[in-house]
Amino acid sequence: MDQALFEKLLYTFIIMAVSITGMILYRKEINFLLRAKKCPGKIVNWMSAVIGGKRFYYPMIEYTPDGFERQLFRAEDRCAGEPMYEPGTDVTVKYLESDLEYRKVIYPKK
């Protein structure tokens, strides 16, 4: 086999292997980018926690995805010192229909 042809096939195989591995490892993120749905939500309360001597606040978000029951969850986003928004603040929640635990909250601009 010609050396140049062998190198081209080898590089092609490596590129395909890396691409397929990336698609498998990041399939949920890719699916979220392509198929995420949006719905309105609301900050209903704030939870506080002391971590390393500093108080952080986590928003409790409520939303109702199309075709599902009301969802309530503590967002991973946090702020220090005091809550950034008042309870009752409207937010947008992007979510996957296939996995309601995979979501992102979009907060209003301050």
Side-chain angles (χ1 to χ4, degrees):
M1 183 183 288
D2 183 75
Q3 183 68 20
L5 178 61
F6 175 74
E7 286 181 6
K8 287 180 184 178
L9 289 175
L10 179 64
Y11 293 142
T12 302
F13 174 76
I14 291 171
I15 291 170
M16 288 179 57
V18 169
S19 297
I20 291 171
T21 302
M23 289 174 69
I24 291 170
L25 291 176
Y26 296 103
R27 66 185 174 276
K28 195 171 275 193
E29 288 84 357
I30 293 168
N31 197 19
F32 186 80
L33 288 173
L34 298 175
R35 298 175 192 241
K37 295 199 173 196
K38 291 182 181 180
C39 74
K42 188 174 295 249
I43 297 174
V44 293
N45 205 351
W46 288 86
M47 292 179 67
S48 68
V50 177
I51 301 172
K54 193 169 186 178
R55 182 169 299 280
F56 292 98
Y57 293 90
Y58 296 88
M60 294 292 296
I61 308 289
E62 177 182 271
Y63 74 107
T64 306
D66 292 334
F68 294 94
E69 295 181 1
R70 179 180 72 106
Q71 304 288 312
L72 179 66
F73 69 97
R74 185 196 89 174
E76 294 300 318
D77 306 313
R78 67 183 186 184
C79 56
E82 64 182 50
M84 290 180 64
Y85 301 100
E86 295 292 321
T89 302
D90 292 325
V91 296
T92 301
V93 180
K94 289 177 76 175
Y95 64 95
L96 277 177
E97 269 188 324
S98 59
D99 183 2
L100 292 178
E101 297 294 316
Y102 200 87
R103 59 198 162 223
K104 179 181 178 187
V105 179
I106 302 168
Y107 298 93
K109 302 283 186 227
K110 277 215 148 197

